[in-house]
Amino acid sequence: MEDGYQNRTAFIKGAKDIAKEVKRQASKKVARSVDRVNDEYSRRSYSRFEEDDDDDYTAQGGGGGGYYRGDSQAADDDDEGGRSDSTEGHDEDDEIYEGEYQGIPRAESDKGNLAGGPGSVPQPFRDVAASEAERRKDQEELAQQYESILQECGHGKFQWTLYFVLGLALMADGVEIFVVGFVLPSAERDMCLSEPNKSMLGLIVYFGMMVGAFLWGAMADRIGRRQSLLISLSINSIFSFFSSFVQGYSTFLFCRLLSGVGIGGSIPIVFSYYSEFLSQEKRGEHLSWLCMFWMIGGIYASAMAWAIIPHYGWSFQMGSAYQFHSWRVFVLVCAFPSVAAIAALNAMPESPRFYLENGKHDEGWMILKQVHDTNMRAKGHPEKVFTVTTIKTVKQVDELAEGGTDTPVWQRYRLKIMSLSRQIRNNILACFSPEYKRTTFMLMAVWFSMSFSYYGLTVWFPDMIKYIQKQEYESRTKTFSKERVEHVTFNFTLENQVHRQGYYFNDKFLNLKMKSMVFEDSVFEECYFEDITSTHTVFRNCTFIASLFYNTDLFKYRFVDSKLVNSTFLHNKEGCMLDFSDDFNNAYMIYFVNFLGTLAVLPGNIVSALLMDKIGRLRMLAGSSVISCISCFFLMFGNSESGMIALLCLFGGISIASWNALDVITVELYPSDKRTTAFGFLNALCKLAAVLGISIFQSFVGITKAVPILFAAAALAAGSFLATKLPETRGQVLQ
């Protein structure tokens, strides 16, 4: 009896398998028939047929368009024949359990795109305005449906994983801002930089970031968010690495410029990329949390600078031509966040919204299913099925042909580049179309005013602190006049002294350091200088008679309007010597001030993240700008180092909320196909304003505090007023 039962079970199972195989083969035949019909229609729709040909084709069913999952008959056929090949697992009775993958559905818009029949107009000849109207309608429908899909996917493990990955990219941007400021005191001496060169090194990164923001923001709307971010971070990593090894000033400047071009794309791409995985009730809060990584980048740079740069022993030399000092080690370490972001980003998918906006339904659907399944498994509900079967895709605008297979390779690439350039240009012009012109100009004014005041003040603060330190240092300067020194050996440190109209005869200066030494209108006769290391030392209008310089770093630029009579230089030291022991306290103060300034941003970040979706973007932006404007006037009372540091922390903690709100509102005011283009353009304007602010504010250091403060306050007041004229985006679906 038992054997008979087993035989019968086996027979039934075999019969089911045979039936299933028959269904599978039938479904394949149906699919091939559909492909042949669609291919035939595509071929005929671009040819000039006679009327009877069109009628004959329509009679064959070519215009039905009902072969996709959205049509009942096609759906039934597909369900019966297609499941056996697209299931992940089977139970004992060969039934699909809940949550099982059931194949990639087709886009809703595919049916309309392939519709034919009498009276249909071939796509190349359709009216442009009608096509644009249809595209706009598709975008609106997609926006509503996409929000519903994100609600179903939920917020969980996938978004938090992406949060940390994109956070590394944003951290790399924060590090890049601080790198040059931290290495400048060391690099200027290591490379013997003049004052104009020092200022150029400080601004070159901003110029690079300005170009990068504009370039990569536009590219991300055409080739994808993830791909553009990977390319930009790779450029940043490569040239950051090179800049730590190159010796010449011009090559170092070039590497930092290209490093800035690379990292410039991180902010516009990161915020747009992350926003397209967030539902409307989570978007403002979690984009604000993402801003914290910029602060973490500043803390990382400050901590690494303090731990590495003052340690002069962290260096090596290859002869006299190649030197690798500790500040170069710091530059190398600052490339780590960018490298880590590249490695992590390779495991993340492209934005599904980008795919759907570009007509790639299957790719977008698969990523959204991945988001859903990842979150559901993490929440302990792996059985929950992704119920979305069709997603609206946006109708694509026809582009010029890129050449056939017989076209030369260089010609095809040329056509591709021209097509890409044309698309980017059209996207930029679209930001100034009547629909978005007012919004764009208002945002330009807000971005410019905030950047001008913020970057101008944050760079002005450390410069003012250094100026206060310099004044205090100069107050302790010792002055000597008309002294006569003969047959004396100096083998100790000479620091912070001014010698005027002195006469030195047969004196020896051996193995000593000269720091902040000034000799004016003095005479050195038969003097011997050996193993001299100098910083901020100058001989002005002096005369050297029969003197010998051996193994010193006293180069020609140290002698201003001086005369050298029968004097000899032997074995001058190559390059400008570094000695961090003398400047350790000053360096510590610079790193410590920046560390406190970035750390003070933390409370403002937390408050803005918690309140962004509760009080709205505009209230957050305008309110924070007004309070920042008021806090500027307290700078009038900062006359000490501690007072300036406290005011720096206050201003940074308040203004960060307005930056977070501005980032969120910029993301939400533009549609997906123009989002990163607009964000990149505005961020490029931000960097231009930063360059102007830094240049103007620095010119008033040591002259007056009132002018920079009034400039900053006026810019913030104008920005807060204009911010109230922007539309509120809280609670709206992502366009």
Side-chain angles (χ1 to χ4, degrees):
M1 178 70 68
E2 186 175 351
D3 293 339
Y5 176 77
Q6 291 178 351
N7 292 335
R8 185 176 62 182
T9 302
F11 175 78
I12 293 173
K13 191 174 188 319
K16 286 183 176 181
D17 290 340
I18 293 172
K20 188 190 305 179
E21 179 65 20
V22 171
K23 291 178 180 179
R24 188 173 68 84
Q25 295 295 336
S27 67
K28 288 183 176 180
K29 291 180 179 178
V30 171
R32 285 195 294 269
S33 298
V34 171
D35 291 339
R36 284 197 299 270
V37 171
N38 288 338
D39 290 342
E40 177 66 17
Y41 173 63
S42 298
R43 183 180 66 81
R44 293 194 184 191
S45 62
Y46 288 93
S47 303
R48 296 188 177 182
F49 285 136
E50 297 295 332
E51 185 65 26
D52 56 341
D53 289 335
D54 290 332
D55 294 340
D56 194 30
Y57 168 69
T58 306
Q60 296 175 14
Y67 296 102
Y68 298 129
R69 185 171 292 272
D71 296 297
S72 59
Q73 183 62 40
D76 292 340
D77 292 341
D78 193 39
D79 280 346
E80 290 296 323
R83 289 186 179 179
S84 60
D85 283 345
S86 57
T87 55
E88 292 179 354
H90 301 275
D91 59 14
E92 202 171 63
D93 294 325
D94 285 338
E95 294 179 359
I96 299 174
Y97 56 83
E98 189 177 12
E100 193 174 5
Y101 173 56
Q102 302 179 30
I104 301 176
R106 293 301 187 107
E108 289 179 359
S109 60
D110 286 348
K111 297 179 295 183
N113 290 345
L114 294 177
S120 62
V121 182
Q123 189 170 338
F125 303 103
R126 297 188 61 179
D127 182 73
V128 176
S131 297
E132 185 60 33
E134 185 176 349
R135 179 178 170 82
R136 181 65 58 85
K137 182 180 179 182
D138 289 345
Q139 288 177 323
E140 293 173 356
E141 293 180 11
L142 173 60
Q144 296 294 333
Q145 187 183 10
Y146 193 80
E147 181 62 37
S148 301
I149 295 172
L150 289 179
Q151 296 285 349
E152 180 176 345
C153 292
H155 188 93
K157 180 181 178 181
F158 183 92
Q159 281 85 356
W160 283 112
T161 303
L162 185 62
Y163 168 79
F164 286 105
V165 172
L166 296 180
L168 289 172
L170 200 58
M171 179 180 171
D173 182 271
V175 169
E176 192 74 20
I177 291 291
F178 290 93
V179 166
V180 172
F182 287 154
V183 304
L184 191 57
S186 305
E188 69 184 21
R189 281 182 286 170
D190 193 16
M191 298 181 178
C192 307
L193 300 184
S194 62
E195 288 298 327
N197 287 339
K198 285 191 290 185
S199 61
M200 188 60 190
L201 182 58
L203 295 176
I204 195 66
V205 173
Y206 289 98
F207 283 113
M209 295 177 77
M210 178 177 67
V211 175
F214 184 81
L215 173 65
W216 299 115
M219 290 289 288
D221 276 332
R222 303 312 309 169
I223 67 175
R225 282 80 162 108
R226 177 179 172 273
Q227 186 175 351
S228 297
L229 188 57
L230 280 172
I231 297 173
S232 65
L233 289 175
S234 298
I235 293 175
N236 171 252
S237 301
I238 291 170
F239 287 98
S240 293
F241 177 81
F242 286 156
S243 67
S244 67
F245 292 96
V246 297
Q247 294 294 297
Y249 170 70
S250 58
T251 51
F252 181 78
L253 202 67
F254 178 73
C255 287
R256 294 316 303 179
L257 173 65
L258 293 185
S259 175
V261 171
I263 202 62
S266 62
I267 287 182
I269 298 176
V270 161
F271 283 102
S272 300
Y273 190 6
Y274 193 46
S275 69
E276 292 169 358
F277 286 93
L278 299 172
S279 57
Q280 63 182 26
E281 70 271 9
K282 298 285 187 181
R283 193 180 306 124
E285 176 185 349
H286 287 272
L287 286 177
S288 298
W289 288 126
L290 185 64
C291 294
M292 292 184 65
F293 277 93
W294 198 91
M295 173 202 71
I296 295 173
I299 293 175
Y300 173 83
S302 303
M304 290 298 101
W306 182 36
I308 295 174
I309 293 179
H311 297 278
Y312 183 66
W314 290 25
S315 62
F316 65 88
Q317 297 184 14
M318 297 176 62
S320 61
Y322 189 88
Q323 301 177 1
F324 192 88
H325 295 298
S326 56
W327 67 269
R328 296 182 181 275
V329 178
F330 167 71
V331 173
L332 190 63
V333 169
C334 285
F336 289 172
S338 185
V339 175
I342 294 171
L345 196 60
N346 278 293
M348 303 308 297
E350 178 58 83
S351 165
R353 184 65 178 269
F354 171 78
Y355 278 143
L356 296 172
E357 291 282 348
N358 287 274
K360 298 180 179 180
H361 173 270
D362 293 355
E363 293 88 341
W365 186 90
M366 285 294 293
I367 294 171
L368 288 169
K369 184 178 186 301
Q370 177 187 349
V371 175
H372 174 275
D373 293 348
T374 301
N375 290 339
M376 292 304 109
R377 283 194 298 267
K379 293 177 181 178
H381 304 292
E383 75 283 355
K384 283 195 173 181
V385 67
F386 185 51
T387 61
V388 177
T389 57
T390 53
I391 308 176
K392 189 72 177 179
T393 55
V394 178
K395 182 173 182 59
Q396 298 306 294
V397 178
D398 295 330
E399 298 295 339
L400 293 177
E402 296 179 353
T405 56
D406 56 341
T407 306
V409 175
W410 68 270
Q411 184 72 9
R412 291 203 297 269
Y413 277 110
R414 177 174 169 274
L415 289 173
K416 288 180 180 180
I417 293 173
M418 289 177 60
S419 177
L420 182 62
S421 302
R422 183 175 60 256
Q423 294 168 23
I424 291 174
R425 182 197 63 192
N426 292 339
N427 255 13
I428 295 171
L429 293 177
C431 295
F432 294 91
S433 63
E435 183 178 1
Y436 298 105
K437 181 169 64 175
R438 181 180 181 276
T439 298
T440 300
F441 280 117
M442 297 291 287
L443 281 174
M444 286 174 61
V446 175
W447 273 92
F448 187 92
S449 61
M450 285 187 56
S451 180
F452 178 83
S453 58
Y454 177 81
Y455 285 102
L457 284 178
T458 52
V459 173
W460 179 69
F461 277 160
D463 285 346
M464 279 299 299
I465 291 174
K466 286 189 285 186
Y467 177 74
I468 293 173
Q469 290 176 336
K470 183 180 178 181
Q471 281 187 318
E472 184 181 354
Y473 185 79
E474 290 177 349
S475 67
R476 301 194 301 268
T477 301
K478 296 179 180 180
T479 303
F480 302 88
S481 298
K482 299 181 179 180
E483 59 182 354
R484 186 179 182 91
V485 182
E486 298 180 4
H487 310 291
V488 175
T489 299
F490 296 88
N491 56 3
F492 47 86
T493 299
L494 298 175
E495 180 179 359
N496 199 18
Q497 298 176 6
V498 176
H499 296 262
R500 295 191 178 99
Q501 299 178 349
Y503 179 77
Y504 304 88
F505 178 76
N506 197 24
D507 295 324
K508 295 182 179 180
F509 299 83
L510 304 177
N511 193 25
L512 58 81
K513 299 175 182 177
M514 292 183 176
K515 180 180 179 183
S516 299
M517 293 293 296
V518 178
F519 295 90
E520 294 180 347
D521 303 316
S522 300
V523 177
F524 296 83
E525 186 174 355
E526 297 183 11
C527 291
Y528 180 70
F529 298 83
E530 181 178 351
D531 291 331
I532 305 297
T533 300
S534 61
T535 56
H536 305 295
T537 295
V538 63
F539 297 87
R540 188 176 293 113
N541 198 27
C542 295
T543 302
F544 293 85
I545 303 172
S547 296
L548 176 64
F549 297 84
Y550 180 82
N551 193 30
T552 71
D553 67 349
L554 299 176
F555 302 103
K556 290 183 178 180
Y557 70 89
R558 302 281 192 192
F559 304 95
V560 180
D561 298 328
S562 297
K563 297 178 181 179
L564 297 171
V565 181
N566 296 328
S567 297
T568 305
F569 290 84
L570 296 176
H571 302 290
N572 263 19
K573 296 179 181 180
E574 294 288 339
C576 298
M577 296 298 103
L578 296 176
D579 189 348
F580 292 102
S581 59
D582 291 333
D583 293 326
F584 178 77
N585 291 331
N586 185 41
Y588 172 80
M589 180 58 67
I590 294 173
Y591 309 145
F592 183 67
V593 167
N594 282 279
F595 177 82
L596 288 180
T598 51
L599 191 62
V601 171
L602 179 61
N605 249 318
I606 295 174
V607 171
S608 65
L610 295 177
L611 298 181
M612 188 69 70
D613 288 319
K614 292 182 174 61
I615 68 174
R617 287 77 161 123
L618 292 188
R619 290 181 180 178
M620 179 69 69
L621 175 58
S624 176
S625 298
V626 169
I627 299 175
S628 299
C629 177
I630 295 173
S631 69
C632 282
F633 290 100
F634 288 101
L635 296 174
M636 294 287 190
F637 308 101
N639 296 317
S640 63
E641 289 184 19
S642 58
M644 296 298 291
I645 293 172
L647 292 171
L648 169 67
C649 295
L650 175 65
F651 179 78
I654 294 173
S655 60
I656 191 61
S658 56
W659 278 111
N660 292 357
L662 186 59
D663 289 332
V664 174
I665 202 171
T666 302
V667 164
E668 295 177 333
L669 279 176
Y670 291 94
S672 291
D673 61 338
K674 302 175 182 64
R675 181 168 296 124
T676 57
T677 300
F679 206 135
F681 170 76
L682 293 169
N683 199 253
L685 182 68
C686 164
K687 297 303 185 290
L688 177 61
V691 170
L692 293 176
I694 292 171
S695 302
I696 293 173
F697 282 41
Q698 281 183 329
S699 64
F700 289 100
V701 173
I703 299 176
T704 177
K705 290 193 298 184
V707 174
I709 292 171
L710 291 175
F711 274 170
L716 288 170
S720 60
F721 172 76
L722 294 173
T724 59
K725 305 299 181 181
L726 291 169
E728 176 60 74
T729 57
R730 180 179 55 161
Q732 296 182 6
V733 298
L734 198 63
Q735 296 183 56

